[in-house]
């Protein structure tokens, strides 16, 4: 059974940094496409991952490019989201998700769309004040 657990959220002032972690069990992180999604207050969860990582590399949404970086650690079996220069509009619940049908290698590609992911974490709250 695949399980994902996020941590690292919190409250910071604009311009600050946070590093989110997502520990995975039931699948090796390098045997899946991993994504970070977010849901802002009063809004639906974004349909496209803001950060995506697989064996074919990484991809970031334009809204976070040059500020956020997704990475993974095979030894820890974890995925991370380093968030720098945070803005109030980054306030959201952040979710980690796994697409275990693809790896980004062996003829498969990773996709940012939410319906490509089968497994989700519970989320971690990030609040950025101005």
């Amino acid at each position: 059974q695949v399980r994902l657990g996020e941590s690292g959220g919190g409250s910071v002032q604009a311009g600050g940094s946070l590093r989110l972690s997502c520990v995975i069990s039931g699948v090796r992180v390098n045997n899946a496409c991993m994504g970070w999604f977010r849901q802002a207050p009063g809004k639906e969860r974004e349909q496209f991952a803001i950060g995506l990582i697989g064996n074919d590399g990484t991809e970031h949404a334009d809204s976070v490019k040059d500020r956020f970086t997704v990475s993974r650690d095979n030894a820890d079996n974890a995925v991370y989201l380093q968030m720098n220069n945070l803005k109030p509009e980054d306030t959201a619940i952040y979710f980690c998700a796994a697409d275990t049908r693809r790896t980004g290698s062996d003829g498969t590609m990773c996709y940012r769309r939410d319906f490509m992911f089968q497994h989700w974490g519970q989320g971690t709250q990030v609040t950025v004040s101005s």
Side-chain angles (χ1 to χ4, degrees):
Q1 187 175 4
V2 178
R3 295 184 184 272
L4 298 89
E6 303 95 333
S7 62
S11 297
V12 296
Q13 290 192 325
S17 299
L18 285 173
R19 187 190 191 213
L20 305 184
S21 300
C22 174
V23 177
I24 306 106
S25 62
V27 66
R28 299 303 303 172
V29 68
N30 55 348
N31 283 337
C33 297
M34 302 298 301
W36 284 99
F37 293 80
R38 64 185 180 183
Q39 182 175 8
K43 296 185 178 181
E44 294 188 354
R45 188 180 62 204
E46 293 185 27
Q47 293 181 335
F48 292 87
I50 57 169
L52 178 71
I53 187 166
N55 292 339
D56 52 357
T58 62
E59 189 175 346
H60 299 83
D62 288 343
S63 59
V64 304
K65 200 170 292 184
D66 298 329
R67 298 189 300 123
F68 291 10
T69 303
V70 61
S71 63
R72 73 186 186 191
D73 187 313
N74 295 340
D76 291 342
N77 209 41
V79 177
Y80 304 97
L81 186 68
Q82 178 66 45
M83 306 186 295
N84 298 327
N85 191 21
L86 282 160
K87 304 176 181 180
E89 52 263 41
D90 295 318
T91 295
I93 301 172
Y94 285 71
F95 299 90
C96 173
D99 173 9
T100 57
R101 296 174 184 171
R102 298 165 187 83
T103 63
S105 58
D106 299 326
T108 66
M109 291 179 61
C110 296
Y111 298 92
R112 290 174 52 213
R113 188 61 198 268
D114 56 353
F115 58 65
M116 304 299 282
F117 293 82
Q118 304 85 41
H119 309 283
W120 294 80
Q122 295 298 309
T124 185
Q125 176 71 48
V126 172
T127 303
V128 185
S129 58
S130 57

